[in-house]
């Protein structure tokens, strides 16, 4: 493109032979000096007069020149002289006319409105140091060191494409089709759109380039082509003068109806805003379209210009578009800069370009008229530093020569008018508030803050279009199916027309049948059937668009989700450990195994201890615990062990004994229940022959581990669990699983197998529950269908899988293919004897209770004993008060024999004798 620009520039120089510059009778000096504050300054302008933008911009520039020349505050001693040319939308004419303007010693140029022409003449102004103020060249590549004298007084398409990207992503679309004019303006604008979408993980699925001046048949052919693609979101970046032809033809093809999304750059509103009354025919073909417009805040000077526009006689349109405001502000920007330039002592001088000297010699071309503006660089810096309030808002440039605060209106076309549904700015993103109201706020641009008013889409629909359809382009929907050696129930090759069968295929086709559009898959086997293929390689092939999808037992793991999209899991899965078992042989003394020897001894001791405590507390008051010594021993033994079965018949009358017995019966209940459960487990347990009992012992052991060939479990054990690769043994199918486990580590087999739960359940059915799962699942994942990144089919099929789950079809498909034999998982734990550690708390509480009860009993008995003394029978008249007798035993001598004899007496006899002695004392005191 740069080579073409230079060629046209050189050609433009040569055509000057037809308009020789006659400078006769003058001696050429190296420098011409103009007055410091000249009365007249020439300003050049380039318009495409008969274009949508030109019809608004030219009157606006003329009005701005008049306003500047009549202003009492700016350039009071200098008058701007406008010299304008019509480029007629031609790059060639624009180059020639730019050279003609250079002949007039212009200090700046206003325009051009075309990015193509701006690319060409920027080389001229760069060489001659003349600032170029363009109000319509929006090509984002017109910046930087390559175009130092180019000043854009409108917004770059870089921001416009960012606004479109945010709008597209606001409705969760990931792909768009770009329709654009095939020139610098169109190509570079769409390039900016592609970059903006890529930053947000979206993309342009197809770029439909329209050659400038293309015929209706060419445009129709292009529209038919994109209509056969899956994306229904179209971004149109065209010229205002020809863009409506695209919509007129799309309307005829039925492409401006429900299900389609049309978004245009600001060219469309440049057309519509140029007329106060909208053409009904034009409105009919753009119903539901979203278009952008450069945002200009409402202000008094803008209202004044709107009123003034009606009085302009040279105008060709009843209204104006945003480019007219930018053109008007361009003149005032130059005026403010010149005013400051002159007030700072600047002058205007021109000098010959030494580079043109060797061309002039011996040539009929008069290149001496192309002179360098010596103060052009200084004026350029003054222009970039200028700040003022214009019709388009505050005009101010940043350090990159870009206008600050870029913003756009989002306009929805519907009915007979236009409706603003929101705004976009690089500060606040999408919003329903005017951009200028948010500049003072600190916003985070989060998705929750991005909102718009409701949009009426093509076809009059208010519901968000899907944005894509299954393409009707005749291409097959290529589905890769893993063809391995193991587990044919899941997925395998078939002789039917479909070519494949299995659980995964049935789930996929059931989900496809629920889609609101037809999808006809064509299955391709991935693998040779002799070995299990690499599932990671299969997903990578889908990511590289070798296939449109992959259907099978594909586990959703992190590394795969980084390169491809997956549906909702249709089967939950996770890695488990399988080990061999041996059924325990019957043993005659198995009933003793529930408790350890220590537990048996302590339990038996406590039975005897509790029997003694109850006898001790009941002996004085309960006839059933009295009698000859041998009988009492038998009673204690009987009572002790009868509590084991809650079959004791002795009546308990003592409160303390009842309290002890209640607590002991609770302990007995716990012990007997635990014994029953442990004995049941021991009699039915199947002993593990492997030392691996879970994930920890799997890692710590050195035994070989079997994994299914081709699955992710191999890498998981090595990379995540740091198990040496030398321990990993790849196995192909159920037969190899069975043989490896039978052989064991000593026989060249494996100690355990690590595989996903669905496979293990099928293996259990095959082995008839000969093996068992130990430990818990140590990963959580699932099986899903893989698609290329940002494929909308992944989302729709996820919804379909949820529907299958809700209506029960998913479970029915599972039961058809993967119904398993239920293996009792209660027997996978090895039976172990219960130790004293399991019950020492109960025994401790029971022992403390007995001790406290005996202490209370002794206190009460000693108090009674001190009142009942041997002297009492000899001197019945002496009865001490209770308080004295209860405390005296602490200091008096106590006969152990007397205490035993007192304890052996019935409590009721003692109480009667004490009451009788008390009455006798009372009678003696009365007499």
């Amino acid at each position: 493109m740069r080579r073409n620009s230079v060629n046209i520039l050189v050609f433009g120089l040569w055509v000057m032979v037809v308009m020789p510059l006659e400078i006769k009778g003058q001696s050429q000096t190296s420098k011409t000096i103009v007055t410091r504050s000249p009365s007249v300054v020439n300003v050049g302008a380039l318009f495409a007069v008969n274009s949508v933008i030109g019809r608004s911009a030219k009157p606006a520039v003329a009005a701005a020149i008049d306003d500047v020349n009549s202003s009492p505050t700016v350039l009071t001693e200098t008058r701007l002289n406008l010299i304008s040319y019509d480029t007629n939308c031609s790059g060639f004419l624009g180059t020639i006319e730019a050279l003609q303007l250079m002949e007039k010693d212009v200090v700046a140029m206003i325009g051009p409105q075309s990015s193509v022409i701006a690319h060409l003449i920027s080389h001229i102004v760069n060489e001659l140091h003349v600032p170029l103020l363009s109000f319509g060249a929006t090509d984002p590549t017109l910046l930087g060191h390559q175009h130092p004298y180019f000043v854009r007084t409108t917004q770059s398409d870089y921001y416009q494409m960012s606004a479109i990207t945010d709008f597209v992503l606001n409705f969760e679309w990931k792909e768009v089709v770009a329709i654009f004019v095939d020139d610098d303006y169109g190509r570079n604008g769409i390039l900016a759109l592609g970059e903006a979408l890529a930053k947000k993980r979206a993309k342009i699925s197809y770029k439909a380039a329209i050659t400038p001046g293309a015929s209706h048949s060419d445009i129709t052919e292009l529209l038919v082509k994109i209509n056969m693609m899956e994306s229904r979101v179209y971004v149109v970046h065209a010229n205002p003068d020809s863009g409506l032809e695209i919509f007129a033809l799309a309307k005829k093809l039925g492409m401006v109806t429900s299900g389609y999304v049309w978004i245009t750059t600001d060219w469309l509103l440049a057309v519509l805003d140029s007329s106060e009354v909208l053409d009904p025919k034009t409105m009919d073909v753009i119903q539901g379209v979203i278009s952008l417009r450069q945002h200009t805040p409402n202000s008094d000077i803008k209202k004044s210009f709107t009123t003034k526009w009606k009085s302009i006689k040279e105008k060709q349109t009843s209204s104006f578009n945003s480019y007219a405001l930018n053109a008007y502000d361009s003149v005032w920007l130059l005026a403010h800069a010149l005013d400051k330039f002159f007030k700072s002592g600047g002058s205007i001088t021109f000098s010959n370009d030494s580079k043109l000297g060797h061309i002039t010699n011996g040539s009929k071309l008069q290149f001496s008229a192309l002179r360098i503006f010596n103060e052009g660089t200084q004026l350029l810096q003054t222009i970039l530093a200028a700040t003022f309030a214009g019709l388009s808002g505050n005009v101010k440039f940043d350090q990159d020569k870009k206008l600050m605060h870029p913003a756009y209106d989002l306009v929805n076309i519907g009915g007979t008018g236009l409706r603003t549904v929101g705004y976009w700015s690089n500060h606040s993103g999408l919003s329903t508030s005017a951009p200028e109201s948010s500049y003072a706020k600190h916003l985070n641009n989060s998705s929750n803050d991005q909102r718009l008013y409701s949009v009426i889409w093509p076809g009059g629909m208010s519901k968000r279009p899907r944005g894509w359809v299954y393409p009707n382009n005749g291409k097959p929907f290529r589905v890769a199916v893993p063809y391995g050696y193991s587990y044919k129930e899941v997925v395998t090759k078939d002789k039917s027309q479909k070519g494949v069968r299995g659980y995964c295929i049935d789930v996929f086709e059931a989900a496809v049948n629920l889609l609101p559009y037809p999808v006809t898959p064509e299955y391709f086997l991935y693998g040779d059937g002799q070995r299990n293929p690499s599932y990671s390689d299969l997903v990578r092939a889908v990511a590289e668009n070798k296939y449109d999808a992959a259907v099978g037992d594909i586990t959703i793991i992190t590394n795969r989700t980084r390169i491809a999209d997956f549906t909702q899991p249709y089967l939950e899965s996770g890695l488990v450990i399988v080990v061999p078992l041996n059924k325990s042989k019957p043993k005659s003394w198995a009933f003793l195994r529930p408790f350890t020897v220590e537990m048996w001894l302590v339990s038996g001791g406590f039975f005897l201890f509790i029997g003694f405590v109850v006898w001790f507390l009941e002996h004085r008051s309960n006839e059933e615990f009295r009698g000859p010594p041998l009988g009492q021993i038998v009673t204690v033994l009987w009572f002790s062990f009868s509590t084991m079965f809650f079959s004791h018949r002795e009546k308990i009358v003592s409160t303390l004994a009842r309290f002890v017995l209640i607590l002991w019966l609770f302990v007995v209940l716990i012990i007997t229940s635990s014994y029953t459960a442990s004995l049941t487990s021991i009699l039915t347990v199947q002993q593990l022959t492997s030392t691996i009992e879970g994930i920890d012992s799997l890692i710590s052991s050195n035994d070989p581990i079997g994994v299914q060939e081709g699955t992710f479990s191999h890498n998981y054990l090595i990379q995540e669990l740091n198990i040496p690769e030398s321990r990993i043994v790849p196995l192909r199918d159920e037969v190899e699983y069975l043989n490896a486990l039978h052989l064991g580590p000593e026989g060249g087999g494996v100690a355990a197998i690590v595989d996903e739960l669905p496979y293990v359940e099928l293996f259990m059915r095959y082995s008839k529950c000969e093996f068992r799962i130990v430990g818990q699942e140590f990963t959580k994942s699932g099986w899903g269908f893989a698609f290329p990144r940002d494929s909308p089919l992944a989302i729709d099929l996820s919804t379909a899988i949820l529907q299958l789950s809700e209506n029960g079809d998913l479970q029915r498909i599972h039961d058809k293919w993967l119904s398993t034999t239920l293996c009792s998982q209660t027997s996978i734990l090895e039976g172990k004897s219960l130790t004293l550690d399991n019950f020492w708390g109960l025994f401790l509480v029971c022992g403390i209770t007995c001790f406290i009860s005996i202490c209370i009993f002794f206190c009460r008995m000693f108090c009674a004993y001190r009142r009942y003394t041997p002297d009492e029978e000899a001197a019945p008249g002496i009865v001490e008060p209770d308080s004295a007798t209860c405390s005296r035993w602490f200091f008096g001598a106590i006969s152990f024999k007397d205490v035993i004899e007192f304890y052996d007496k019935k409590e009721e006899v003692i109480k009667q004798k004490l009451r009788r002695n008390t009455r006798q004392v009372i009678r003696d005191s009365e007499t």
Side-chain angles (χ1 to χ4, degrees):
M1 189 63 220
R2 294 176 183 173
R3 182 180 297 175
N4 293 338
S5 300
V6 174
N7 291 339
I8 294 177
L9 177 60
V10 174
F11 183 76
L13 293 174
W14 276 101
V15 299
M16 292 184 67
V17 71
V18 300
M19 42 182 177
L21 305 175
E22 300 290 343
I23 305 177
K24 299 179 179 179
Q26 300 181 10
S27 61
Q28 299 297 327
T29 62
S30 62
K31 180 180 290 187
T32 301
I33 301 177
V34 184
T35 313
R36 170 177 266 184
S37 296
S39 58
V40 177
V41 172
N42 290 335
V43 177
L46 293 177
F47 304 103
V49 177
N50 292 320
S51 66
V52 171
I53 296 178
R55 284 190 286 268
S56 289
K58 184 178 180 180
V61 170
I65 293 291
D66 292 341
D67 291 344
V68 169
N69 288 336
S70 60
S71 173
T73 58
V74 178
L75 293 178
T76 56
E77 299 179 359
T78 304
R79 176 178 173 273
L80 298 182
N81 179 39
L82 180 66
I83 305 172
S84 62
Y85 287 102
D86 181 7
T87 64
N88 199 24
C89 298
S90 169
F92 173 72
L93 290 180
T95 303
I96 299 304
E97 290 165 353
L99 292 171
Q100 289 178 324
L101 287 174
M102 296 299 104
E103 174 195 358
K104 304 294 196 284
D105 288 342
V106 295
V107 298
M109 288 178 58
I110 307 297
Q113 67 195 51
S114 167
S115 297
V116 175
I117 300 176
H119 269 286
L120 296 175
I121 67 175
S122 62
H123 297 284
I124 298 175
V125 298
N126 290 348
E127 180 66 27
L128 301 180
H129 299 180
V130 177
L132 179 65
L133 282 65
S134 177
F135 55 85
T138 58
D139 183 351
T141 63
L142 282 167
L143 277 179
H145 300 294
Q146 187 179 2
H147 310 283
Y149 284 86
F150 175 82
V151 179
R152 195 195 316 272
T153 56
T154 185
Q155 296 297 345
S156 167
D157 279 340
Y158 171 83
Y159 297 110
Q160 184 168 208
M161 297 309 173
S162 297
I164 291 176
T165 297
D166 286 350
F167 180 83
V168 168
L169 295 180
N170 182 69
F171 292 95
E172 300 179 352
W173 298 313
K174 294 295 185 180
E175 294 185 7
V176 303
V177 171
I179 305 172
F180 61 97
V181 59
D182 194 11
D183 58 15
D184 288 344
Y185 158 76
R187 285 190 298 269
N188 294 329
I190 294 303
L191 179 63
L193 175 63
E195 293 175 351
L197 288 170
K199 291 179 181 178
K200 302 294 183 65
R201 285 193 57 187
K203 65 178 182 179
I204 299 175
S205 60
Y206 183 74
K207 295 180 180 180
I210 299 177
T211 304
S215 65
H216 285 189
S217 60
D218 292 337
I219 298 175
T220 301
E221 182 180 352
L222 185 64
L223 291 175
V224 170
K225 182 178 181 179
I226 65 174
N227 194 37
M228 298 176 66
M229 300 176 182
E230 66 179 29
S231 179
R232 284 290 185 265
V233 181
Y234 302 136
V235 177
V236 183
H237 186 47
N239 288 319
D241 301 283
S242 58
L244 286 175
E245 296 179 1
I246 299 174
F247 283 98
L249 296 173
K251 179 74 172 179
K252 293 180 180 179
L253 295 173
M255 297 175 64
V256 193
T257 57
S258 59
Y260 291 84
V261 178
W262 290 88
I263 306 169
T264 77
T265 51
D266 59 356
W267 66 265
L268 179 57
L269 286 179
V271 176
L272 300 181
D273 290 341
S274 299
S275 177
E276 288 185 336
V277 180
L278 300 177
D279 182 12
K281 294 182 179 180
T282 300
M283 295 296 293
D284 182 59
V285 301
I286 56 175
Q287 289 294 303
V289 175
I290 293 290
S291 185
L292 275 66
R293 176 200 293 131
Q294 294 184 44
H295 176 73
T296 55
N298 293 323
S299 62
D300 293 337
I301 55 176
K302 181 179 176 181
K303 294 178 182 178
S304 299
F305 179 78
T306 303
T307 303
K308 184 177 181 178
W309 180 269
K310 298 178 181 179
S311 62
I312 297 177
K313 297 180 180 180
E314 294 82 5
K315 68 178 186 297
Q316 302 180 39
T317 59
S318 58
S319 186
F320 56 87
N321 51 47
S322 61
Y323 288 98
L325 305 180
N326 294 328
Y328 183 92
D329 286 346
S330 298
V331 175
W332 274 98
L333 173 63
L334 177 61
H336 282 289
L338 285 172
D339 186 62
K340 185 176 180 180
F341 175 75
F342 291 140
K343 288 180 179 179
S344 63
S347 61
I348 297 177
T349 63
F350 293 88
S351 61
N352 292 334
D353 189 348
S354 59
K355 297 178 182 179
L356 299 178
H358 70 282
I359 299 178
T360 303
N361 296 332
S363 173
K364 296 181 179 180
L365 296 177
Q366 303 297 327
F367 287 104
S368 58
L370 300 178
R371 297 186 296 172
I372 296 176
F373 179 22
N374 297 316
E375 289 77 22
T377 302
Q378 183 180 353
L379 178 60
L380 174 66
Q381 298 303 320
T382 307
I383 290 172
L384 296 176
T387 302
F388 69 97
L391 299 184
S392 60
N394 291 326
V395 178
K396 185 178 180 180
F397 293 92
D398 60 17
Q399 60 183 1
D400 295 324
K401 296 170 46 177
K402 298 177 183 178
L403 283 175
M404 298 182 67
H405 302 311
Y408 289 88
D409 301 338
L410 298 172
V411 180
N412 186 200
I413 302 170
T416 58
L418 312 176
R419 185 171 65 95
T420 301
V421 296
Y423 306 91
W424 180 91
S425 73
N426 67 332
H427 177 69
S428 61
L430 297 177
S431 176
T432 53
S433 301
E436 55 269 17
S437 66
S438 65
Y439 292 144
K441 301 177 182 178
H442 296 284
L443 304 176
N444 56 14
N445 284 351
S446 67
S447 58
N448 293 332
D449 297 329
Q450 311 290 301
R451 56 192 180 92
L452 299 171
Y453 293 120
S454 60
V455 177
I456 304 300
W457 305 101
M461 305 296 292
S462 58
K463 182 181 178 181
R464 180 190 75 92
R466 188 199 316 274
W468 78 283
V469 294
Y470 184 72
N472 185 22
N473 53 13
K475 294 182 179 179
F477 185 73
R478 303 162 301 166
V479 177
V481 176
Y483 180 36
Y485 190 78
S486 60
Y487 299 109
K488 306 298 184 182
E489 300 92 340
V490 177
V491 62
T492 189
K493 182 180 179 181
D494 189 49
K495 296 181 179 179
S496 63
Q497 182 179 0
K498 195 164 39 181
V500 290
R501 62 178 174 86
Y503 167 70
C504 300
I505 301 301
D506 282 5
V507 173
F508 177 71
E509 295 207 334
V512 166
N513 290 335
L514 293 178
L515 296 177
Y517 45 86
V519 175
T520 306
E522 183 176 345
Y523 297 102
F524 296 84
L525 296 175
Y526 187 85
D528 57 8
Q530 301 301 315
R531 305 185 66 86
N532 293 333
S534 170
Y535 284 72
S536 295
D537 291 344
L538 171 59
V539 174
R540 192 173 296 107
V542 173
E544 294 171 354
N545 290 314
K546 295 179 181 178
Y547 302 98
D548 298 316
V551 172
D553 46 339
I554 305 171
T555 306
I556 305 172
I557 57 176
T558 304
N559 290 339
R560 295 172 185 172
T561 58
R562 291 192 180 118
I563 61 174
D565 285 348
F566 285 85
T567 61
Q568 161 104 4
Y570 59 88
L571 182 64
E572 297 297 328
S573 179
L575 291 179
V576 295
I577 304 171
V578 181
V579 296
L581 297 170
N582 280 336
K583 293 186 177 179
S584 59
K585 298 179 180 179
K587 295 182 180 180
S588 302
W589 298 94
F591 69 92
L592 294 177
R593 291 184 58 195
F595 292 157
T596 61
V597 175
E598 183 185 31
M599 181 64 185
W600 279 116
L601 293 176
V602 173
S603 299
F606 255 87
F607 274 103
L608 295 175
F609 175 66
I610 294 300
F612 170 75
V613 171
V614 172
W615 172 84
F616 183 79
L617 297 175
E618 289 289 311
H619 177 70
R620 300 184 67 226
S621 57
N622 193 339
E623 287 291 342
E624 296 186 15
F625 288 87
R626 299 181 67 82
L630 183 60
Q632 293 185 51
I633 292 174
V634 173
T635 299
V636 170
L637 294 175
W638 163 255
F639 181 84
S640 297
F641 291 101
S642 64
T643 56
M644 183 186 302
F645 310 103
F646 305 96
S647 61
H648 53 282
R649 294 173 295 179
E650 291 78 8
K651 183 179 180 181
I652 306 300
V653 297
S654 169
T655 302
L656 291 175
R658 289 177 177 176
F659 177 68
V660 171
L661 185 60
I662 289 174
L663 183 60
W664 174 244
L665 291 178
F666 174 74
V667 174
V668 170
L669 176 63
I670 299 299
I671 292 175
T672 54
S673 299
S674 301
Y675 175 85
T676 303
S678 181
L679 181 61
T680 302
S681 176
I682 290 173
L683 294 177
T684 59
V685 74
Q686 294 172 327
Q687 303 293 335
L688 299 174
T689 60
S690 172
T691 58
I692 297 175
E693 300 178 0
I695 183 63
D696 294 331
S697 55
L698 176 77
I699 298 173
S700 60
S701 71
N702 294 317
D703 295 331
I705 304 168
V707 297
Q708 185 182 169
E709 185 182 54
T711 60
F712 81 100
S713 54
H714 180 275
N715 290 337
Y716 181 86
L717 294 179
I718 297 173
Q719 298 173 5
E720 301 296 332
L721 301 185
N722 296 320
I723 294 176
E725 189 173 4
S726 58
R727 291 180 56 194
I728 310 300
V729 180
L731 303 172
R732 292 197 303 171
D733 62 352
E734 304 94 319
V735 177
E736 292 191 2
Y737 277 21
L738 192 66
N739 294 335
L741 287 173
H742 280 161
L743 291 173
E746 297 80 7
V750 297
I753 286 177
V754 175
D755 206 348
E756 295 181 75
L757 184 59
Y759 300 129
V760 170
E761 290 176 344
L762 290 173
F763 174 64
M764 290 297 189
R765 182 177 68 179
Y766 176 79
S767 65
K768 299 180 180 178
C769 299
E770 185 179 348
F771 307 95
R772 287 295 180 270
I773 301 172
V774 294
Q776 302 294 324
E777 291 184 57
F778 52 93
T779 63
K780 288 293 183 182
S781 58
W783 292 354
F785 306 131
F787 292 88
R789 293 300 293 268
D790 303 320
S791 172
L793 260 176
I795 299 174
D796 288 352
L797 276 177
S798 294
T799 303
I801 290 172
L802 288 175
Q803 294 178 7
L804 291 175
S805 178
E806 292 171 357
N807 61 27
D809 288 345
L810 195 60
Q811 185 61 43
R812 282 189 285 272
I813 298 173
H814 178 276
D815 295 341
K816 172 185 174 182
W817 291 97
L818 306 181
S819 59
T820 58
T821 302
L822 294 178
C823 300
S824 175
Q825 295 301 313
T826 59
S827 60
I828 66 172
L829 298 176
E830 183 177 1
K832 294 183 179 180
S833 300
L834 299 174
T835 66
L836 183 60
D837 293 338
N838 302 112
F839 302 98
W840 70 267
L842 287 174
F843 289 131
L844 178 63
V845 171
C846 189
I848 292 174
T849 303
C850 292
F851 176 76
I852 294 174
S853 299
I854 291 174
C855 290
I856 294 174
F857 178 82
F858 267 115
C859 289
R860 291 173 56 188
M861 188 187 72
F862 278 125
C863 287
Y865 171 73
R866 298 306 296 170
R867 293 174 59 196
Y868 181 81
T869 62
D871 298 335
E872 196 170 297
E873 295 180 359
I878 302 175
V879 180
E880 297 182 6
D882 290 344
S883 60
T885 58
C886 288
S887 60
R888 205 181 76 192
W889 67 276
F890 285 99
F891 307 99
I894 299 176
S895 171
F896 182 75
K897 179 180 179 182
D898 293 342
V899 172
I900 295 300
E901 290 177 354
F902 178 79
Y903 169 76
D904 194 47
K905 294 180 182 292
K906 284 194 68 173
E907 187 175 8
E908 186 61 30
V909 174
I910 299 300
K911 289 181 179 180
Q912 290 177 2
K913 185 174 290 189
L914 290 176
R915 284 196 296 270
R916 190 166 52 251
N917 291 340
T918 301
R919 287 195 297 271
Q920 181 63 39
V921 171
I922 293 174
R923 285 196 297 269
D924 292 344
S925 63
E926 290 178 351
T927 57

